[in-house]
Amino acid sequence: MKSCGVTVATTTSFGDEAKKMAAGKASGESKEGSLSLTAEEEEVLGGLDSRLFGFVRVHEDGARTKALLDKAVRCYESLILKAEGKMESDFFCQLGHFNLLLEDYPKALSAYQRYYSMHSDYWKNSAFLYGLGLVYFYYNAFHWAIQAFQEVLYVDPSFCRAKEIHLRLGLMFKVNTDYESSLKHFQLALIDSNPCTLSSVEIQFHIAHLYETQQKYHFAKEAYEQLLQTENLSSQVKATVLQQLGWMYHNGDLLGDRTTKDSYAIQYLQKSLEADPNSGQSWYLLGRCYSSIGKVQDAFISYRQSIDKSEASADTWCSIGVLYQQQNQPMDALQAYICAVQLDHGHAAAWMDLGTLYESCNQPQDAIKCYLNATRSKSCSNTSTLAGRIKFLQAQLCNLPQSSLQNKTKLLPSIEEAWSLPIPAELTSRQGAMNTAQQASNAHHPKTEPVLCLSQTPILQQSLPVHMISSSQVDGLSSPAKRKRKSSPTKLLEQLCANKDNLNTGEKLMLEQLESQFVLMQQQNTLSLPHNCTNLSSSAEEPWRKQLYNSTQGLHKGQRSHLSEPNDEQLPFSTGPVQYLQPASTGIKKQTAHQTLPSNSLTHGVPLNHLSSHIATSIGQQDTAFTKDSKPSGNRSLVPETSRHAGDTPNGCVVVKGLSNHVERLTAEPVCSPNNGNCTSPNLLISDSSQIPTSLFGKASDNVGTGACDKASNIHPAVYTKTNSVTSSPSSVISTTTPSKSTEQKATHTVTSLTSPQSRLLTINGEGIDNLQISERTDMSIINHKSSPQIIPSMCVSIYSSSTEVLKACRNLGKNGLYNSRIFSDKCPPPRPPTSPYPPLPKDKLNPPTPSIYLENKRDAFFPPLHQFCTNPKNPVTVIRGLAGALKLDLGLFSTKTLVEASNEHVVEVRTQLLQPADENWDPTGTKKIWHCESNRSLTTIAKYAQYQASSFQESLREENEKRMQHKEYSDNESTSSDFSGKRRKGPFKTIKFGTNIDLSDDKKWKLQLRELTKLPAFVRVVSAGNLLSHLGHTILGMNTVQLYMKVPGSRTPGHQENNNFCSVNINIGPGDCEWFVVPEDYWGVLNDFCEKNNLNFLMSSWWPNLEDLYEANVPVYRFIQRPGDLVWINAGTVHWVQAVGWCNNIAWNVGPLTACQYKLAVERYEWNKLQSVKSVVPMVHLSWNMARNIKVSDPKLFEMIKYCLLKVLKQCQTLREALITAGKEIMWHGRTNDEPAHYCSICEVEVFNLLFVTNESNSQKTYIVHCQDCARKTSGNLDNFVVLEQYKMEDLLQIYDQFTLAPSLTSSSSYCPVNIK
């Protein structure tokens, strides 16, 4: 893939042209307009792009490079103005790179989006995708950042910053709770020897913490202890590892009794403090440990040390309040709780504890107010319990006479009075000093960001410079929707001016800086378009921040109700005045996106997300968050908190050097200065009215005010024509998603020209410029990839070219050793999920009838149209009723009794699940519907599961008899079904076990069973000449072999598509039924979107769709019952999920019809899996070559696709061979054995064909651990530690390629591909 092709030499021609265009204009041209770049400057700038981000460091000796980048940006912006925005696309890409290196993210995003809108082949530019991914990562737009980074690795697997990408993907997947993907990317980053912004030790720490987050405490403990054995371990990392170990012993499920675990916890925390005595976090955790064992005085001392050593924390004050309350000191407890909730208005645990305190002092009115405030917080985990408590207290108040309430003596001040109490000196002394230092830091470093470090200070708000925020938006920062307050610069300026005579030196310096910034802010506001000043959330204190930088998911207090999680609020931000894209209209109301970015990143209706053509964005919308909807996205406090109670682990930190977009430490001003007289309580219920909100007992109130929404700029969604996600043949290349002309023209009427006076481009403000200097001493070894990466260019060969012509075209192309392993056309963009079919189906067609065929005899089963009907793409599923009876199949061979007799010790995989209604999926508490499906894995034997299956049946009979007795004794006022569903929704649910993936491939052990299945028609048999999977040449368990499932009622097979989109056959053995839910292949992109919204991986996670969501999205769902003896045919790509209605067994396997549709969908999923870093169970390259050997194809479409795959692989093999030979690397003949499986890379799990990279050690031991070329080079750059083994002679591959030709058609009309077996 190429990086941005623009050179600075191009700038000169642009400059000359711009000067001509500017001739005759007014003489009042700005100084920037006359800027020009020298030849030396052009040469330096020519090698700068996004790949240097994080490696061109900000140091004091880099002022010249920094100044050069500033000058280049001013020059480019001036040229854009003069040319009225009519510049070449690469010009904007280079401008985006420059702004990214300057860490001016709004302008970088704007330029990148302009490049995207102008360049249809933007996806070929890996440097652009990488830069765009970094910008999205900065804004916490993980959904888009993940896609951008994945596309980089897909189009350019040898990308020089692959390690950095894997690191960031690991961090983002960790936040999204996709732990399996996170671990894989961390491990891929760990094996890579290339430079990265984190060290190997820090990546290992992330892996250890990942285990801890998953509550795999033994793995985490081993990983942490292994880290402690590392030589030259820094004190910061050591302190953090010890801190994590200490808290795990206190809070985790580790071996040992409570006393022993507490002892270990205290020891580890004390050792952590020896390594880092100034860690407020460790002091806080130590206090928690002391408190749990009753050492009250030691706990108080530790908490006080925490406050002294670090910033004031709501968690710390809440814990202090608990201690005071336990010591029967209610007034002191009240004061501590008030400190906590003033620091964090959404601290649910503090509000609950405060309510409990008031209730214990017999002040129910104040208790109700506190409980209501707790329920308003998204960190509240027991809203229903609190709602019940509030109702109880209100009932008590109603029964008390009014006089008793008025004459009653209060032990504690009311909540209104307590809010105004003076803050303890312990807090004011520390916090006052913090305020000054933080504000001075903000003023001095307006464009720097926090370093990603192993300190106990959480990463704070990533804000744009203060002088880029308009006054109206500053007011918006105190919107009632925000549970944390941010002191606006204007308010702070007013306060400092009012107390000008009493300021200390630091405060006077800050006043001067704020005054100058205020002037600049006013100047910029007059020049910026009003509707471009959008509310941009940069998401302070996102949960990913806590995991990246604080490395944990918070703390679990373990006493009373003290439990809190991050909130989900966002602070509005301005995008700044400089735009390279024309602003979007504010009139569109459709809102479906989950990230919030600047509105100036759109042009002419081009979607903000370069990767999703159907997403529109609403800024300021209530449910917009940078993380997924189902997960709180962080407490956006600007208070530097030492900890959060958001889970079961402490907020220990994560990295030392920091990711590359975090260069300097930046601490933000506190949300609410406790010593500030005007510290108010926005959105808090402290008045006398204590009405319960209507949404309290359903969904907790989000408390989102209208302030931010009123200022929102809604983004134009673009209108697109539907295209396939991948090409179906070499000739059918996918078109890139571009807006229609009508849409572009329509959007143009709503935007302001770039040449209008109000939208004049401004130069970068010089505030704080001295502190942003780029080092010129960058190690050149880490930027030796600055030349554009090479790819195999499109060659003048086609599928009808001979092998000789292919080899001739490949000659001398592989000297760089870089090649792309895709089997798609180079003209095809990376695969993407399909959009929902248009037009949408009407609501009355969302429950279509299931295609069903009833068989009466054997002749019906072998009737050819049955095959054609099942494989017709228009039928996503077919139920063949009565198949077993028509063919006289002996289903008793697959009964539990027969299985036990045949092999009672055979291994059974068990999935532990919750028994729920088939059409619903609730969380374990039964309070809300979710997509995640509980399904935990374990192993047992057939005999043991058979015993469980039988006992489950007997228990059900016993329960049924009890219900009958109750039915006789009690009146039948309610129907049994409604009572059943009502109870189910409230939980807790019964646990059941599902026996799955029982392998029946052993033809000796299961001879009778497998022989019985040969009675089936050829197109559904396990093995047949017309089955693609029969040509693999080796076994893939469960695909070209039979698997059996043993079920009890409620056993679930979660939602999925079959591996590589192959068809599947499922026969119900009985005696019970199964209920199926099926969605056509066209809609899998919609289900993928739903999975992402629910923090689930479509390919790997366990999920059960919410039917209400599907119907709302106009997704049709086929729903039917499979009875004993029925065969269900799942067509290629169909999404389905199944639940057992009764006790039954099922058998299933996969089938690959020889059709163009099947092959196309299999290749699409093969490439999509590669993009998603998921292993493809079916090796499509290996299969394609075997098909070319074994069969003759008469279907032109199928032939073209197979032939094109052979062509691509042949080119790849020849190119790689030449590269290795040129580099002097010997290729050793290895060959293949009969039934040898296809090979996959042991690291990244992509298929490796023909040329296998094996370590010297593995080769000598004959274990042959295979690597792909990319992973081998990442481990050993010059491949010294590897040998290359060849499995096929090139002559043999060339012969197969030449001999695979289109066969004459056997029939004139057929819906499937006729074949001849060679």
Side-chain angles (χ1 to χ4, degrees):
M1 293 296 103
K2 70 184 185 69
S3 66
C4 185
V6 70
T7 61
V8 184
T10 315
T11 308
T12 307
S13 61
F14 285 151
D16 295 338
E17 181 182 349
K19 289 175 182 177
K20 293 177 183 178
M21 294 173 62
K25 288 189 177 181
S27 59
E29 240 178 359
S30 63
K31 182 179 179 181
E32 288 80 358
S34 60
L35 284 175
S36 62
L37 297 170
T38 66
E40 291 181 359
E41 290 172 335
E42 293 172 0
E43 183 179 358
V44 173
L45 291 170
L48 300 180
D49 64 24
S50 62
R51 289 170 293 179
L52 298 184
F53 182 78
F55 296 91
V56 178
R57 282 293 189 181
V58 179
H59 294 305
E60 54 277 352
D61 61 346
R64 285 183 297 172
T65 307
K66 171 67 173 59
L68 176 60
L69 285 170
D70 280 336
K71 179 181 178 182
V73 169
R74 292 197 302 272
C75 181
Y76 277 39
E77 290 175 352
S78 177
L79 294 175
I80 292 173
L81 276 179
K82 292 177 181 178
E84 299 183 357
K86 298 176 182 179
M87 313 296 289
E88 291 187 8
S89 60
D90 288 342
F91 183 90
F92 290 98
C93 185
Q94 194 72 11
L95 181 57
H97 293 326
F98 294 162
N99 281 313
L100 176 66
L101 296 177
L102 289 170
E103 298 178 59
D104 194 334
Y105 298 101
K107 292 167 72 174
L109 178 62
S110 180
Y112 281 146
Q113 289 289 347
R114 185 67 182 271
Y115 170 79
Y116 158 74
S117 69
M118 298 172 66
H119 205 298
S120 60
D121 289 341
Y122 69 88
W123 53 270
K124 293 182 179 180
N125 189 339
S126 53
F128 158 72
L129 290 173
Y130 179 60
L132 189 62
L134 291 171
V135 174
Y136 284 148
F137 182 89
Y138 170 82
Y139 284 118
N140 303 348
F142 289 166
H143 173 72
W144 298 339
I146 287 171
Q147 290 189 44
F149 285 149
Q150 286 176 335
E151 288 193 0
V152 175
L153 297 176
Y154 179 80
V155 300
D156 188 4
S158 301
F159 188 65
C160 60
R161 294 289 170 252
K163 182 174 184 177
E164 186 76 18
I165 290 176
H166 284 303
L167 168 64
R168 291 173 186 260
L169 285 173
L171 296 171
M172 290 186 286
F173 281 124
K174 180 181 175 186
V175 172
N176 290 348
T177 67
D178 186 354
Y179 300 125
E180 187 174 347
S181 298
S182 176
L183 178 61
K184 182 170 185 175
H185 285 288
F186 281 143
Q187 290 172 337
L188 287 169
L190 197 58
I191 63 100
D192 197 332
S193 59
N194 289 309
C196 177
T197 49
L198 297 190
S199 67
S200 296
V201 169
E202 293 156 358
I203 297 173
Q204 290 176 55
F205 179 88
H206 271 295
I207 293 174
H209 178 256
L210 186 65
Y211 289 134
E212 182 184 357
T213 303
Q214 295 175 270
Q215 298 184 355
K216 296 180 178 179
Y217 295 121
H218 289 282
F219 289 107
K221 178 175 176 289
E222 291 176 4
Y224 283 136
E225 289 176 345
Q226 185 177 357
L227 265 176
L228 291 175
Q229 304 303 318
T230 306
E231 294 183 4
N232 302 320
L233 189 65
S234 69
S235 59
Q236 245 182 342
V237 177
K238 181 178 180 181
T240 304
V241 171
L242 290 167
Q243 180 190 97
Q244 296 297 122
L245 277 170
W247 189 248
M248 272 207 317
Y249 268 104
H250 173 77
N251 206 46
D253 185 20
L254 294 174
L255 296 176
D257 58 272
R258 181 75 261 174
T259 304
T260 303
K261 290 196 291 185
D262 285 335
S263 175
Y264 274 117
I266 291 173
Q267 289 178 31
Y268 277 120
L269 288 170
Q270 288 174 338
K271 289 180 180 178
S272 175
L273 286 168
E274 290 175 7
D276 182 9
N278 295 319
S279 171
Q281 175 78 349
S282 293
W283 281 113
Y284 170 72
L285 299 179
L286 184 61
R288 292 277 298 278
C289 291
Y290 280 137
S291 176
S292 68
I293 61 175
K295 293 189 175 182
V296 177
Q297 192 60 35
D298 290 335
F300 272 120
I301 294 173
S302 298
Y303 290 146
R304 176 55 193 265
Q305 287 280 7
S306 175
I307 293 174
D308 288 343
K309 299 294 184 183
S310 63
E311 308 81 18
S313 162
D315 290 328
T316 306
W317 282 105
C318 190
S319 297
I320 292 173
V322 171
L323 278 182
Y324 277 129
Q325 193 169 347
Q326 290 174 344
Q327 299 303 307
N328 198 24
Q329 296 175 250
M331 190 60 194
D332 293 326
L334 172 67
Q335 199 173 33
Y337 289 141
I338 291 295
C339 287
V341 295
Q342 285 189 343
L343 287 168
D344 179 2
H345 297 323
H347 201 291
W351 282 117
M352 286 188 283
D353 290 337
L354 186 54
T356 304
L357 177 64
Y358 273 123
E359 198 174 344
S360 66
C361 294
N362 201 18
Q363 295 179 226
Q365 288 178 310
D366 293 308
I368 289 173
K369 295 170 187 176
C370 295
Y371 289 148
L372 284 174
N373 281 319
T375 61
R376 291 181 172 187
S377 171
K378 288 193 176 181
S379 66
C380 184
S381 59
N382 54 351
T383 306
S384 57
T385 303
L386 286 176
R389 193 65 194 163
I390 293 169
K391 277 188 174 180
F392 174 77
L393 292 176
Q394 285 188 323
Q396 275 191 335
L397 286 175
C398 292
N399 295 330
L400 290 176
Q402 189 69 21
S403 57
S404 63
L405 292 175
Q406 295 174 349
N407 300 329
K408 184 177 173 183
T409 303
K410 293 183 179 180
L411 295 177
L412 294 174
S414 67
I415 183 66
E416 296 88 345
E417 296 167 343
W419 197 264
S420 304
L421 288 175
I423 307 302
E426 305 97 285
L427 179 60
T428 56
S429 59
R430 171 67 182 168
Q431 195 65 23
M434 288 295 302
N435 293 350
T436 303
Q438 290 165 358
Q439 293 162 356
S441 176
N442 286 343
H444 194 54
H445 305 287
K447 296 181 71 171
T448 59
E449 289 187 278
V451 76
L452 202 160
C453 64
L454 268 163
S455 70
Q456 280 68 39
T457 304
I459 294 306
L460 305 176
Q461 182 82 16
Q462 287 189 353
S463 64
L464 302 180
V466 172
H467 62 266
M468 296 177 72
I469 302 178
S470 66
S471 57
S472 62
Q473 290 163 324
V474 169
D475 297 336
L477 294 175
S478 58
S479 166
K482 315 306 172 207
R483 295 196 181 95
K484 286 206 164 186
R485 285 163 295 161
K486 172 178 167 60
S487 298
S488 68
T490 50
K491 281 189 177 182
L492 183 59
L493 182 60
E494 292 171 1
Q495 294 167 8
L496 291 174
C497 289
N499 298 284
K500 195 169 185 178
D501 298 334
N502 301 321
L503 299 181
N504 57 33
T505 306
E507 290 169 335
K508 289 179 179 177
L509 173 63
M510 181 172 59
L511 174 61
E512 294 175 3
Q513 292 168 339
L514 284 176
E515 286 175 340
S516 62
Q517 289 172 10
F518 183 72
V519 173
L520 291 170
M521 180 181 71
Q522 288 182 318
Q523 293 173 351
Q524 291 187 352
N525 285 341
T526 60
L527 293 172
S528 61
L529 292 171
H531 61 277
N532 282 335
C533 298
T534 57
N535 292 332
L536 169 63
S537 282
S538 202
S539 47
E541 283 287 51
E542 289 284 356
W544 72 273
R545 297 275 182 215
K546 296 181 178 178
Q547 292 194 7
L548 305 193
Y549 315 133
N550 300 321
S551 158
T552 68
Q553 291 190 345
L555 306 169
H556 179 38
K557 184 173 181 183
Q559 54 188 359
R560 301 183 65 85
S561 61
H562 196 157
L563 175 66
S564 170
E565 292 184 349
N567 292 329
D568 193 22
E569 302 304 328
Q570 302 179 67
L571 295 177
F573 275 78
S574 167
T575 62
V578 180
Q579 297 93 18
Y580 307 121
L581 304 181
Q582 296 182 0
S585 167
T586 61
I588 302 299
K589 298 298 182 184
K590 183 179 179 182
Q591 300 157 348
T592 58
H594 304 279
Q595 288 85 9
T596 307
L597 289 170
S599 69
N600 63 358
S601 58
L602 302 182
T603 180
H604 294 296
V606 175
L608 179 60
N609 176 10
H610 77 292
L611 302 158
S612 178
S613 61
H614 61 281
I615 291 182
T617 304
S618 170
I619 298 178
Q621 186 182 0
Q622 171 175 332
D623 61 350
T624 51
F626 286 116
T627 53
K628 310 301 179 189
D629 289 346
S630 61
K631 179 183 174 111
S633 63
N635 193 337
R636 292 162 171 67
S637 167
L638 295 185
V639 174
E641 297 179 334
T642 57
S643 67
R644 300 287 308 145
H645 294 259
D648 295 330
T649 55
N651 287 346
C653 41
V654 182
V655 285
V656 175
K657 297 176 185 175
L659 288 177
S660 53
N661 39 357
H662 305 89
V663 183
E664 300 229 5
R665 174 73 58 86
L666 174 66
T667 47
E669 59 192 70
V671 170
C672 174
S673 176
N675 59 343
N676 195 334
N678 62 352
C679 184
T680 59
S681 54
N683 202 37
L684 296 183
L685 186 63
I686 59 175
S687 65
D688 289 333
S689 61
S690 56
Q691 297 298 320
I692 302 176
T694 57
S695 61
L696 176 61
F697 301 105
K699 179 182 177 183
S701 174
D702 290 329
N703 293 322
V704 177
T706 59
C709 295
D710 293 340
K711 297 185 175 94
S713 289
N714 299 323
I715 306 306
H716 249 315
V719 178
Y720 296 90
T721 56
K722 184 187 172 188
T723 60
N724 292 328
S725 59
V726 287
T727 180
S728 61
S729 70
S731 60
S732 59
V733 176
I734 245 187
S735 61
T736 54
T737 53
T738 54
S740 64
K741 280 188 177 180
S742 60
T743 307
E744 293 186 4
Q745 292 168 355
K746 187 174 182 180
T748 306
H749 296 303
T750 65
V751 298
T752 305
S753 171
L754 281 170
T755 58
S756 66
Q758 288 131 324
S759 61
R760 289 181 56 198
L761 299 178
L762 302 178
T763 58
I764 297 178
N765 193 287
E767 187 65 34
I769 209 88
D770 295 336
N771 298 293
L772 289 172
Q773 298 170 343
I774 299 179
S775 174
E776 294 175 346
R777 296 185 300 177
T778 305
D779 183 1
M780 293 308 295
S781 66
I782 67 173
I783 59 173
N784 56 3
H785 295 82
K786 72 178 182 178
S787 59
S788 299
Q790 298 295 317
I791 64 164
I792 301 175
S794 298
M795 297 178 289
C796 298
V797 293
S798 71
I799 60 174
Y800 300 104
S801 302
S802 68
S803 59
T804 304
E805 292 171 327
V806 174
L807 292 187
K808 183 178 179 181
C810 290
R811 193 164 297 153
N812 299 323
L813 288 176
K815 58 186 178 182
N816 294 316
L818 300 175
Y819 77 105
N820 193 297
S821 63
R822 289 191 292 162
I823 57 178
F824 279 167
S825 168
D826 292 333
K827 297 179 181 179
C828 294
R832 293 168 197 158
T835 58
S836 183
Y838 188 85
L841 291 174
K843 296 296 182 182
D844 59 350
K845 292 188 178 181
L846 297 182
N847 287 292
T850 303
S852 302
I853 295 178
Y854 294 82
L855 303 183
E856 295 181 359
N857 51 49
K858 184 177 180 179
R859 181 183 175 184
D860 292 344
F862 285 85
F863 191 47
L866 176 61
H867 177 193
Q868 299 172 22
F869 185 87
C870 290
T871 56
N872 188 339
K874 294 181 180 179
N875 299 323
V877 60
T878 301
V879 184
I880 304 178
R881 304 283 188 187
L883 177 76
L887 296 177
K888 295 183 172 59
L889 291 178
D890 184 3
L891 299 183
L893 291 172
F894 300 93
S895 67
T896 300
K897 181 175 181 291
T898 306
L899 296 171
V900 172
E901 292 172 352
S903 182
N904 62 345
E905 293 300 315
H906 198 69
V907 176
V908 177
E909 179 182 327
V910 174
R911 293 286 178 169
T912 303
Q913 301 173 336
L914 300 177
L915 177 60
Q916 303 200 46
D919 56 353
E920 296 176 349
N921 188 56
W922 297 82
D923 67 347
T925 63
T927 55
K928 64 178 179 178
K929 290 183 180 180
I930 58 175
W931 276 61
H932 174 65
C933 180
E934 292 289 337
S935 189
N936 300 314
R937 184 177 181 272
S938 60
L939 297 175
T940 186
T941 63
I942 285 182
K944 291 180 180 178
Y945 189 84
Q947 185 178 5
Y948 165 76
Q949 203 176 34
S951 62
S952 170
F953 180 73
Q954 292 169 357
E955 181 184 353
S956 178
L957 288 177
R958 191 164 50 249
E959 291 177 354
E960 190 66 27
N961 290 332
E962 292 175 358
K963 285 182 181 179
R964 288 175 183 172
M965 295 297 295
Q966 292 175 357
H967 188 72
K968 291 179 181 179
E969 294 176 5
Y970 299 104
S971 60
D972 192 16
N973 293 329
E974 288 185 293
S975 66
T976 305
S977 60
S978 62
D979 180 65
F980 173 82
S981 63
K983 289 183 179 178
R984 286 294 171 86
R985 295 185 182 187
K986 296 180 181 178
F989 299 102
K990 180 181 177 181
T991 299
I992 59 172
K993 297 183 183 296
F994 170 26
T996 183
N997 297 339
I998 304 168
D999 174 35
L1000 302 186
S1001 63
D1002 190 336
D1003 55 1
K1004 294 181 180 179
K1005 187 183 296 184
W1006 309 106
K1007 182 178 180 180
L1008 295 176
Q1009 286 78 7
L1010 297 179
R1011 189 194 317 175
E1012 191 69 15
L1013 296 180
T1014 59
K1015 295 179 180 179
L1016 295 169
F1019 79 96
V1020 294
R1021 286 180 194 159
V1022 182
V1023 179
S1024 72
N1027 182 354
L1028 286 174
L1029 297 174
S1030 296
H1031 295 279
L1032 274 171
H1034 63 273
T1035 296
I1036 300 179
L1037 294 179
M1039 292 207 68
N1040 54 8
T1041 66
V1042 181
Q1043 283 191 332
L1044 181 133
Y1045 305 87
M1046 305 175 71
K1047 303 178 180 180
V1048 297
S1051 296
R1052 287 182 162 182
T1053 300
H1056 68 288
Q1057 290 172 300
E1058 296 295 322
N1059 290 321
N1060 285 92
N1061 282 334
F1062 277 84
C1063 300
S1064 74
V1065 173
N1066 187 295
I1067 301 175
N1068 185 7
I1069 305 302
D1073 298 338
C1074 290
E1075 184 169 12
W1076 287 68
F1077 301 84
V1078 170
V1079 169
E1081 186 272 338
D1082 290 344
Y1083 292 87
W1084 80 264
V1086 180
L1087 274 77
N1088 179 73
D1089 291 341
F1090 275 118
C1091 286
E1092 289 182 342
K1093 291 175 185 177
N1094 288 275
N1095 279 340
L1096 296 168
N1097 187 312
F1098 177 80
L1099 296 176
M1100 306 299 294
S1101 297
S1102 177
W1103 45 271
W1104 193 266
N1106 183 349
L1107 294 181
E1108 295 172 1
D1109 291 341
L1110 298 185
Y1111 293 143
E1112 186 177 348
N1114 295 304
V1115 176
V1117 180
Y1118 295 82
R1119 184 173 179 178
F1120 60 92
I1121 296 294
Q1122 179 195 26
R1123 298 183 177 86
D1126 289 350
L1127 182 148
V1128 175
W1129 171 275
I1130 294 294
N1131 219 347
T1134 297
V1135 186
H1136 56 287
W1137 55 103
V1138 190
Q1139 177 157 320
V1141 178
W1143 290 261
C1144 61
N1145 292 348
N1146 289 67
I1147 53 174
W1149 59 92
N1150 290 103
V1151 175
L1154 280 164
T1155 64
C1157 177
Q1158 174 63 88
Y1159 186 84
K1160 171 181 176 289
L1161 290 176
V1163 171
E1164 285 181 6
R1165 181 47 49 91
Y1166 180 83
E1167 293 297 316
W1168 174 253
N1169 287 345
K1170 195 181 300 179
L1171 181 86
Q1172 297 291 313
S1173 299
V1174 173
K1175 180 179 179 179
S1176 280
V1177 176
V1178 181
M1180 290 304 298
V1181 171
H1182 173 85
L1183 175 60
S1184 298
W1185 282 95
N1186 281 357
M1187 290 171 65
R1189 280 191 197 91
N1190 300 339
I1191 65 176
K1192 286 185 177 293
V1193 178
S1194 58
D1195 181 345
K1197 290 184 179 180
L1198 178 59
F1199 168 76
E1200 287 178 359
M1201 288 188 285
I1202 298 174
K1203 188 77 171 182
Y1204 189 78
C1205 176
L1206 303 183
L1207 172 64
K1208 289 283 290 185
V1209 175
L1210 198 60
K1211 287 160 56 178
Q1212 293 164 10
C1213 289
Q1214 180 62 21
T1215 304
L1216 182 55
R1217 276 181 58 85
E1218 289 196 5
L1220 293 170
I1221 293 171
T1222 303
K1225 192 68 181 176
E1226 181 184 1
I1227 300 176
M1228 301 173 58
W1229 171 250
H1230 184 66
R1232 282 180 61 86
T1233 61
N1234 291 334
D1235 301 328
E1236 181 178 345
H1239 292 282
Y1240 292 85
C1241 176
S1242 59
I1243 295 175
C1244 69
E1245 297 186 309
V1246 300
E1247 182 185 359
V1248 183
F1249 181 77
N1250 189 22
L1251 297 175
L1252 313 179
F1253 292 79
V1254 179
T1255 60
N1256 294 328
E1257 180 182 1
S1258 176
N1259 185 53
S1260 61
Q1261 296 175 355
K1262 299 191 181 303
T1263 54
Y1264 303 118
I1265 299 175
V1266 175
H1267 294 66
C1268 66
Q1269 183 207 187
D1270 294 314
C1271 290
R1273 289 188 182 277
K1274 289 171 185 175
T1275 305
S1276 176
N1278 51 13
L1279 300 177
D1280 286 343
N1281 192 36
F1282 284 87
V1283 295
V1284 183
L1285 306 179
E1286 187 174 30
Q1287 290 202 300
Y1288 299 94
K1289 295 291 185 182
M1290 282 301 295
E1291 296 79 7
D1292 295 337
L1293 295 179
L1294 296 175
Q1295 183 180 9
I1296 294 170
Y1297 177 81
D1298 286 333
Q1299 291 179 353
F1300 184 66
T1301 57
L1302 181 64
S1305 178
L1306 298 179
T1307 60
S1308 58
S1309 61
S1310 176
S1311 63
Y1312 61 97
C1313 177
V1315 298
N1316 286 330
I1317 306 302
K1318 294 180 181 177

